[in-house]
Amino acid sequence: MGDHKDASRSAETPQRADAQRNRERILAVAVTELTRSADTPLSVIAKKACVGQGTFYRNFPSREALVMEIYRHEMQQVADSADQLLSRREPDRALREWMDRLARFSMTKAGLADAIRQATSSPDGPAKPGHDTLLQAADRLLRACEETGVIRPGVTSEDLILAIGGLWQLDPASDWQPRAARLLDLVMDGLRVGAPGRKATDA
């Protein structure tokens, strides 16, 4: 009996892994295609993701579901990266690299703006995901920087998002990376003004 259950579990694991890979491939293709054109047919996305129509619609039963999942997935990826960066970098380096990831997310959001508007325009359409996860991630990074004395005290996550709001004005079809880097360097310089200085972290 035990052997039968173990065999069933081992058979299910590759299936789940395949399903997850299919889903991630669909999302990756959809970001590119819908950024290029909000009206890209779902059949084109399925074909370029190398999945059948049945697989596609099991994951995303409608265009609205696909667009909202792209937006939620990209936002969650950026939020999750905050803790990963803090585990590998000094807090100020982690914050600056996280801001680069936020810039890439903002370009995805800008490119998908038409698709998002279409998905959320109908009265019974899905609600746009909130930014709470991004604000919480920003807050963790800011507090880590504040605790080590590398930024001015009292900066909130809302302050940071407002300060880098210029990212949302950049054209995703342009060579936006150099301009975004300059903007984020200016924001980091501003955060460092009034910093008490690096504090010792050893007891």
Side-chain angles (χ1 to χ4, degrees):
M1 187 73 172
D3 290 343
H4 178 69
K5 287 182 179 178
D6 290 342
S8 297
R9 276 196 293 268
S10 63
E12 288 170 6
T13 300
Q15 289 177 355
R16 281 199 295 269
D18 287 344
Q20 184 61 29
R21 280 193 293 271
N22 285 338
R23 187 178 180 84
E24 290 173 357
R25 197 159 58 243
I26 292 168
L27 288 171
V29 170
V31 167
T32 301
E33 295 302 318
L34 291 174
T35 297
R36 188 176 295 135
S37 171
D39 298 317
T40 301
L42 298 186
S43 58
V44 170
I45 295 172
K47 185 175 180 180
K48 290 193 175 185
C50 302
V51 299
Q53 296 284 328
T55 297
F56 184 94
Y57 285 106
R58 271 198 303 277
N59 282 279
F60 305 106
S62 66
R63 177 180 294 273
E64 291 79 10
L66 174 62
V67 172
M68 289 299 98
E69 179 58 18
I70 290 170
Y71 188 50
R72 188 206 64 76
H73 180 264
E74 295 286 312
M75 186 162 53
Q76 191 63 52
Q77 293 284 97
V78 176
D80 290 346
S81 70
D83 292 326
Q84 297 163 10
L85 288 166
L86 280 171
S87 70
R88 301 195 305 263
R89 302 276 192 272
E90 290 292 316
D92 52 343
R93 286 283 308 280
L95 176 59
R96 181 62 184 80
E97 288 189 35
W98 186 80
M99 288 160 64
D100 281 333
R101 297 188 186 201
L102 187 60
R104 288 195 293 274
F105 167 70
S106 74
M107 290 302 97
T108 297
K109 180 187 174 187
L112 287 170
D114 287 342
I116 292 169
R117 275 194 293 272
Q118 289 176 16
T120 57
S121 60
S122 61
D124 56 347
K128 192 158 68 173
H131 287 81
D132 288 352
T133 54
L134 287 179
L135 290 173
Q136 290 162 9
D139 190 66
R140 291 195 296 277
L141 287 156
L142 289 168
R143 299 293 72 79
C145 289
E146 191 174 311
E147 286 167 12
T148 52
V150 294
I151 65 169
R152 64 196 302 164
V155 178
T156 68
S157 53
E158 288 88 353
D159 293 336
L160 179 66
I161 299 301
L162 283 172
I164 61 179
L167 289 173
W168 279 265
Q169 304 303 313
L170 299 178
D171 181 357
S174 70
D175 183 23
W176 58 267
Q177 288 91 340
R179 296 189 68 189
R182 287 196 300 274
L183 171 66
L184 297 180
D185 285 341
L186 285 170
V187 171
M188 281 302 301
D189 288 345
L191 289 172
R192 291 185 177 110
V193 174
R198 189 173 294 277
K199 300 175 184 175
T201 54
D202 297 330

